[in-house]
Amino acid sequence: KTFYSKVLSTIFTWTKVSGYPVIEIEEKQDGDDRILFLRQDRFLDSLKNSSKSTPIWSIPIGFVNAFNPFSVTSKAMFEHKKIRIVLKNILETEWVKLNPHAANYYRVKYSPEMLKKFVLSIEEKLLSPMDRLNILDDMFAFIERGDYSTDLGLEMLRHYVNEDNPNVWQAIGGSLEDIYILVSNMNDPKLMKKLNRFGNGIIGKNFEKLGWTTNSSELSVGYKMRIDDFATQKVREKIL
């Protein structure tokens, strides 16, 4: 009876409750161990829509770290409002990522300090493409909701300058487009000029390599189509 009640409760929260889980994560170093403090909440597109009544999901969680970025090193089931997890033998400078390869359906809200630990692995593409996409997608979802500043998003975007994955580029293009819409509504020519220079810095390296037309001898056609599509709409007109 207890087992079936638990199954029904899990099904109800995943199928009948509006929104979906977000896990807020903070960390503390204790010698060679990393102590993680996780808190689950309900993600809605606006903080105004949040309510005091929040369901508790049963969330399968896993972690990867900087020295082993492609294999899950720790797994657990998160079934409470808060949980404390200790990961052994993690250096203080080493990043830890929740939801490896975006295998499960929830968002992760890292502290800004934790996000900044990812930058070198993003630049060098030491994280998997799905993890690079996952970090970017979650971050801008929280920016749109008002949890993070746009400055943080722009600072992190700088480190995607070497990106060559078409799916990650689609997310980069969407993020830049959202920021352009926001700035264009502010009627601030100086700010728009700065944003144009920023956008040129992000995509200019890839356009030097790819050009404007598809060449099958270069990178994948899908990559070319996505970056050319973004360029046609935004870059030719506003950046280059």
Side-chain angles (χ1 to χ4, degrees):
K1 185 177 180 180
T2 302
F3 172 76
Y4 286 109
S5 297
K6 188 173 182 179
V7 170
L8 289 174
S9 176
T10 299
I11 292 173
F12 179 83
T13 53
W14 280 103
T15 59
K16 300 296 183 181
V17 177
S18 62
Y20 49 88
V22 52
I23 298 178
E24 298 181 17
I25 178 170
E26 295 184 353
E27 63 180 4
K28 176 183 176 182
Q29 193 72 20
D30 183 15
D32 293 333
D33 297 339
R34 185 72 53 85
I35 304 174
L36 303 176
F37 303 93
L38 277 59
R39 176 181 178 274
Q40 66 163 284
D41 207 338
R42 176 165 50 173
F43 184 88
L44 297 170
D45 59 3
S46 171
L47 291 174
K48 295 179 181 179
N49 293 332
S50 299
S51 65
K52 294 182 179 179
S53 176
T54 303
I56 302 297
W57 281 269
S58 295
I59 309 172
I61 57 175
F63 301 90
V64 289
N65 58 66
F67 285 166
N68 194 8
F70 299 107
S71 298
V72 180
T73 55
S74 182
K75 296 180 181 180
M77 185 64 74
F78 188 7
E79 299 179 305
H80 304 281
K81 184 69 174 178
K82 298 178 181 180
I83 190 173
R84 176 180 178 272
I85 295 176
V86 179
L87 301 181
K88 298 289 187 180
N89 301 315
I90 304 291
L91 297 178
E92 188 170 1
T93 56
E94 191 176 351
W95 55 257
V96 171
K97 186 185 182 297
L98 185 58
N99 197 15
H101 319 306
N104 293 291
Y105 192 67
Y106 57 86
R107 293 201 182 275
V108 181
K109 182 183 174 184
Y110 299 95
S111 67
E113 294 74 23
M114 292 185 74
L115 275 176
K116 291 173 183 178
K117 287 183 178 180
F118 292 122
V119 297
L120 180 60
S121 292
I122 290 171
E123 288 178 355
E124 301 296 331
K125 292 175 286 187
L126 300 176
L127 280 154
S128 71
M130 185 57 74
D131 280 331
R132 300 196 302 271
L133 172 59
N134 182 224
I135 290 169
L136 185 67
D137 185 60
D138 280 355
M139 179 177 62
F140 272 90
F142 289 117
I143 288 172
E144 290 179 12
R145 201 177 74 153
D147 295 80
Y148 292 148
S149 69
T150 304
D151 288 346
L152 176 63
L154 291 172
E155 181 181 349
M156 291 295 293
L157 267 179
R158 288 183 186 276
H159 301 284
Y160 283 84
V161 67
N162 297 321
E163 187 56 60
D164 59 6
N165 181 273
N167 296 310
V168 182
W169 256 109
Q170 187 176 39
I172 293 171
S175 300
L176 284 171
E177 187 170 3
D178 289 343
I179 295 172
Y180 270 101
I181 292 171
L182 175 65
V183 173
S184 64
N185 290 330
M186 296 171 67
N187 195 26
D188 186 336
K190 289 185 178 180
L191 183 58
M192 179 59 78
K193 189 174 181 179
K194 290 181 179 179
L195 183 58
N196 287 341
R197 286 200 301 268
F198 176 85
N200 187 25
I202 294 293
I203 67 172
K205 184 175 181 179
N206 282 285
F207 273 102
E208 288 178 7
K209 182 166 55 178
L210 295 175
W212 293 104
T213 57
T214 300
N215 184 333
S216 60
S217 66
E218 295 177 329
L219 296 180
S220 72
V221 173
Y223 177 26
K224 297 280 292 185
M225 288 174 64
R226 285 193 171 101
I227 198 169
D228 283 349
D229 179 63
F230 177 71
T232 301
Q233 296 179 41
K234 299 295 175 185
V235 183
R236 286 184 178 179
E237 178 182 345
K238 296 183 177 180
I239 299 177
L240 298 179

